[in-house]
Amino acid sequence: MQTYMILIVYLKLVSYVISQCAQNAQGTTGNCLCMQGYYGINAEIGSSCIQCPSGTNTTEPSNSTNGNTNALTNISVCNQCSLNFYMNAAASTSQPIASAQCTACPTGSGTQIPSKTPTDISFCSICVPNYYMTVAAFNPIPGVKAFPAICIPCPANSSSPLQTQTGALVNCNCYDVNALPFSATQTTCTCLNGYYGNVSSVEGGPSGCTRCPPGMFSVGGIPCQKCPSGSQILSDLSGCSCYDNSTGVNPWSFYTNTCQCRAGYYGDPSKAVSGTTDSCSPCPNGYTSIAGIALQQSDCYLSGTTFRAVTRFYVVIFVSILILL
Ligand SMILES: *[C@@H]1O[C@H](CO)[C@@H](O)[C@H](O)[C@H]1NC(C)=O
Ligand SMILES: *[C@@H]1O[C@H](CO)[C@@H](O)[C@H](O)[C@H]1NC(C)=O
Ligand SMILES: *[C@@H]1O[C@H](CO)[C@@H](O)[C@H](O)[C@H]1NC(C)=O
Ligand SMILES: *[C@@H]1O[C@H](CO)[C@@H](O)[C@H](O)[C@H]1NC(C)=O
Ligand SMILES: *[C@@H]1O[C@H](CO)[C@@H](O)[C@H](O)[C@H]1NC(C)=O
Ligand SMILES: *[C@@H]1O[C@H](CO)[C@@H](O)[C@H](O)[C@H]1NC(C)=O
């Protein structure tokens, strides 16, 4: 047991001695180099590798002349910008010695490659993931200043890959596989028609949208509903259409979810089947009706009888309130 422990300590010591490079260096004793983004005159133990200023980087680690690890090395080897920064001024190798001057691209925009030479803000020509591009970057011309790509964040619960070209909201994708795709009119993530629930808020997570039972519709993830009698479900599962669509029938609407006659007609289109027409007949001359109330001709009332009309109107309101409650 003891010899075993000693062996482990010994092996650890050996590996420690073999890889004796300074912090932020790579390699093994005698062959240590500062890591990319760091510089130093020596990268062996006892020496140190200094981090380049924020937004700057070195080229690949090297101990050649002008490399990031050699006797003459100084901050001027921090001569390229980090990704998504653009270069205002190059590094200076003579006094006053300086690193490159790099500025972060505006939020959402970025660079395709790290800047190695002085550029301007138009080098910020891409949109980083989860942003889409509305306006491309503009290279300056006399009298017109450069500007970066204009990048807009994807809506909540959606993402996009890095964008190199102008696009639109459609470049973003909802996390939920059962969400409606974005369009000019669909600007938030909601469940597909015919699915109910709340879209997933986790990329790659399980869908929060569940398919409605057959024959039921849903829009925007609301609870599934049955189509009223006298109607059939639309093929896109977003609602219903009354079998009878002849004059006098109020077209199906999401808000009423019924098949009934318009004002001034009587009849019962909820009894219609495929092919039925003329479920609703106009009230006789001088008579009228309130939408959906008159099932028989006798339910029509004299147009002039405002008292009865008003009473019926308030009865309808009262009943509607009862139903809503
Ligand atoms: C540095 O350069 C010398 C000779 O140019 C070479 O022998 C040595 O291996 C190099 N060190 C590293 C870490 O590459
Ligand atoms: C700083 O480093 C650069 C690159 O290694 C070198 O060319 C230059 O001579 C150095 N400058 C000074 C003052 O040491
Ligand atoms: C420096 O460049 C390397 C290679 O492109 C990259 O992996 C690293 O993240 C960069 N470091 C900084 C601080 O930009
Ligand atoms: C959707 O979210 C609302 C509010 O958080 C919650 O009340 C409802 O139960 C959720 N619906 C489903 C189907 O999970
Ligand atoms: C993102 O998804 C979560 C979970 O479904 C939901 O509560 C939230 O309202 C969604 N955000 C937007 C802006 O749609
Ligand atoms: C009425 O419905 C029939 C078949 O159901 C359809 O062919 C026709 O286009 C519809 N008419 C109107 C005005 O919607």
Side-chain angles (χ1 to χ4, degrees):
M1 188 65 194
Q2 228 174 357
T3 37
Y4 189 60
M5 296 276 284
I6 288 167
L7 188 64
I8 287 176
V9 169
Y10 173 76
L11 284 175
K12 288 212 162 184
L13 266 174
V14 166
S15 65
Y16 183 69
V17 168
I18 284 176
S19 63
Q20 270 313 286
C21 292
Q23 217 189 344
N24 300 316
Q26 58 193 47
T28 51
T29 314
N31 285 294
C32 298
L33 290 176
C34 291
M35 295 194 306
Q36 192 164 12
Y38 294 79
Y39 64 97
I41 54 166
N42 182 359
E44 309 298 325
I45 189 75
S47 165
S48 60
C49 294
I50 303 161
Q51 190 167 15
C52 286
S54 164
T56 66
N57 207 347
T58 63
T59 51
E60 305 235 308
S62 141
N63 69 350
S64 63
T65 318
N66 299 332
N68 74 337
T69 318
N70 70 55
L72 286 179
T73 254
N74 56 54
I75 200 168
S76 72
V77 297
C78 303
N79 57 7
Q80 62 177 49
C81 294
S82 296
L83 207 59
N84 304 332
F85 284 74
Y86 67 96
M87 194 182 291
N88 302 95
S92 165
T93 55
S94 53
Q95 297 294 353
I97 297 170
S99 70
Q101 305 297 305
C102 302
T103 304
C105 290
T107 307
S109 68
T111 64
Q112 231 152 358
I113 52 165
S115 307
K116 293 183 173 152
T117 54
T119 52
D120 58 62
I121 202 166
S122 66
F123 201 67
C124 301
S125 63
I126 60 124
C127 292
V128 299
N130 305 327
Y131 286 79
Y132 64 96
M133 195 187 299
T134 52
V135 182
F138 181 76
N139 293 313
I141 52 170
V144 188
K145 286 209 301 196
F147 59 80
I150 307 298
C151 303
I152 310 289
C154 287
N157 301 325
S158 76
S159 67
S160 71
L162 182 150
Q163 309 281 306
T164 58
Q165 297 193 334
T166 50
L169 185 56
V170 293
N171 294 109
C172 300
N173 301 294
C174 294
Y175 298 152
D176 203 301
V177 292
N178 292 322
L180 281 165
F182 286 122
S183 68
T185 52
Q186 184 65 37
T187 58
T188 57
C189 290
T190 48
C191 292
L192 286 168
N193 294 332
Y195 286 72
Y196 75 97
N198 301 312
V199 291
S200 172
S201 58
V202 181
E203 187 155 26
S207 175
C209 304
T210 308
R211 206 177 219 292
C212 291
M216 294 178 90
F217 69 91
S218 172
V219 280
I222 58 150
C224 305
Q225 292 185 59
K226 269 191 186 146
C227 286
S229 55
S231 76
Q232 62 185 338
I233 194 160
L234 296 177
S235 56
D236 72 358
L237 309 181
S238 68
C240 320
S241 67
C242 295
Y243 283 123
D244 187 350
N245 61 6
S246 61
T247 321
V249 180
N250 241 350
W252 180 89
S253 105
F254 177 82
Y255 301 100
T256 55
N257 196 24
T258 56
C259 291
Q260 58 188 21
C261 295
R262 297 176 193 277
Y265 287 78
Y266 68 91
D268 190 1
S270 74
K271 299 217 165 66
V273 293
S274 176
T276 305
T277 58
D278 301 324
S279 304
C280 300
S281 310
C283 288
N285 255 350
Y287 284 74
T288 191
S289 67
I290 292 168
I293 294 295
L295 300 179
Q296 297 153 26
Q297 188 174 343
S298 58
D299 294 329
C300 297
Y301 59 89
L302 265 175
S303 300
T305 56
T306 42
F307 172 74
R308 274 174 69 194
V310 165
T311 316
R312 277 166 195 259
F313 178 72
Y314 281 112
V315 165
V316 168
I317 295 282
F318 183 67
V319 168
S320 307
I321 287 171
L322 279 186
I323 288 168
L324 280 177
L325 289 176

